[in-house]
Amino acid sequence: MTPVGTCSPDVLFITGHTGYVESYLRSAVRSIPEKTIVITSCMGQSFKKYAARKEIYVPDLKKPLCLLRDGRPYGFDFEISDAELDLYNSSGTITERIQTAYERL
């Protein structure tokens, strides 16, 4: 028997407003077991300080905001970022898809 989760990718996805994500990481980054964290939030550069501990991926390092669009035309019932659309619509392993859609800090 294999416990659930032992064969899954070592990735944590976090989506939220920068302040909330920052607050969570500040208090929890040492206890997060995943080595890779994919953050869908604005101001991606503000998470650079965590890149020494974890592999951090953010939507776009060149823009301060992570714009959202209506997801319904794309089959999603929530607002979605371009990075998320790229992730869902790309092919390859989850690692390859993350590297295609997001930028590593």
Side-chain angles (χ1 to χ4, degrees):
M1 294 181 65
T2 304
V4 174
T6 60
C7 298
S8 62
D10 191 18
V11 180
L12 172 65
F13 288 85
I14 302 174
T15 301
H17 294 290
T18 301
Y20 294 122
V21 175
E22 166 66 29
S23 176
Y24 171 73
L25 288 175
R26 187 174 41 250
S27 66
V29 73
R30 287 185 174 96
S31 63
I32 294 172
E34 292 84 5
K35 71 172 188 155
T36 302
I37 301 174
V38 179
I39 301 169
T40 303
S41 185
C42 293
M43 298 181 273
Q45 287 286 354
S46 65
F47 303 109
K48 192 168 188 136
K49 60 186 150 215
Y50 301 105
R53 293 186 176 276
K54 305 285 183 179
E55 289 180 18
I56 304 288
Y57 289 88
V58 296
D60 193 343
L61 293 173
K62 296 168 196 74
K63 299 177 191 170
L65 299 177
C66 174
L67 301 177
L68 300 177
R69 61 180 71 238
D70 182 1
R72 288 177 292 194
Y74 306 98
F76 299 96
D77 194 23
F78 54 88
E79 290 185 324
I80 192 164
S81 70
D82 286 345
E84 290 169 305
L85 283 172
D86 291 344
L87 177 76
Y88 298 140
N89 290 315
S90 62
S91 60
T93 67
I94 190 65
T95 301
E96 292 168 338
R97 294 166 78 171
I98 290 167
Q99 291 170 346
T100 297
Y102 289 78
E103 295 184 34
R104 185 173 175 183
L105 289 175

